[in-house]
Amino acid sequence: MKTDQQAQSQYAQMVNQASPGSPMWKNCLLAFLSGGVICIIGEGLSQFYLGRGFSKEEAALLVSVTLIFLSAVLTALGLYGKLGKYCGAGTEVPITGFANSVVSPAIEYKSSGLVLGMAAKMFVIAGPVIVYGTLTSMAVGIVYVFMGR
């Protein structure tokens, strides 16, 4: 009879044989480049909006809205997931990745209806981020108030 340690060792061997190695340097390079391209697109949008006479604050807002819209559309068309599989973590630049994490479950559960499907599942992934982000910003605001700023 095998001991637990022997069984675990045999299982680990089977997992190593079945799991292909990950090309770490290639993945890092693709993540760096794809994240950089998203940031370049954001900077290009910023310059575009500034060139149209918007203030710096208005341009920043418009860049955020545009990036969210583009990532939501790409997610809805099924392209963001394909891009993410190829580029990896680079597509998770905070604003585009967040939009993707909100839209993906909504699309997946749309067949369950608008309320119990899309609306209920839309924030399954993004909900905790929103909650903790809100709580953290409130905590920082309270600290600033008590520090006299």
Side-chain angles (χ1 to χ4, degrees):
M1 183 175 251
K2 294 182 184 178
T3 64
D4 284 342
Q5 188 175 11
Q6 288 173 330
Q8 288 176 352
S9 175
Q10 185 180 10
Y11 178 74
Q13 263 184 334
M14 289 171 46
V15 168
N16 287 337
Q17 289 174 351
S19 301
S22 177
M24 184 179 73
W25 291 108
K26 177 186 171 195
N27 291 346
C28 288
L29 180 63
L30 286 173
F32 176 77
L33 292 175
S34 60
V37 167
I38 293 171
C39 292
I40 289 170
I41 291 169
E43 183 60 31
L45 288 168
S46 178
Q47 294 303 314
F48 173 79
Y49 290 129
L50 287 171
R52 299 294 177 271
F54 290 100
S55 71
K56 193 172 184 178
E57 292 79 19
E58 292 169 334
L61 175 66
L62 288 169
V63 168
S64 297
V65 170
T66 305
L67 287 174
I68 289 168
F69 174 76
L70 290 175
S71 63
V73 168
L74 289 175
T75 300
L77 295 174
L79 299 175
Y80 200 91
K82 291 176 184 176
L83 184 66
K85 284 182 183 177
Y86 181 74
C87 296
T91 59
E92 295 305 316
V93 172
I95 199 159
T96 56
F98 184 74
N100 178 55
S101 71
V102 171
V103 175
S104 291
I107 292 171
E108 185 176 340
Y109 290 98
K110 72 180 179 183
S111 62
S112 300
L114 289 176
V115 175
L116 296 177
M118 288 177 64
K121 300 295 184 180
M122 187 179 292
F123 293 105
V124 167
I125 296 171
V129 174
I130 294 170
V131 169
Y132 288 113
T134 302
L135 292 175
T136 302
S137 65
M138 288 173 53
V140 168
I142 291 170
V143 168
Y144 274 118
V145 166
F146 285 117
M147 291 178 65
R149 293 186 180 187

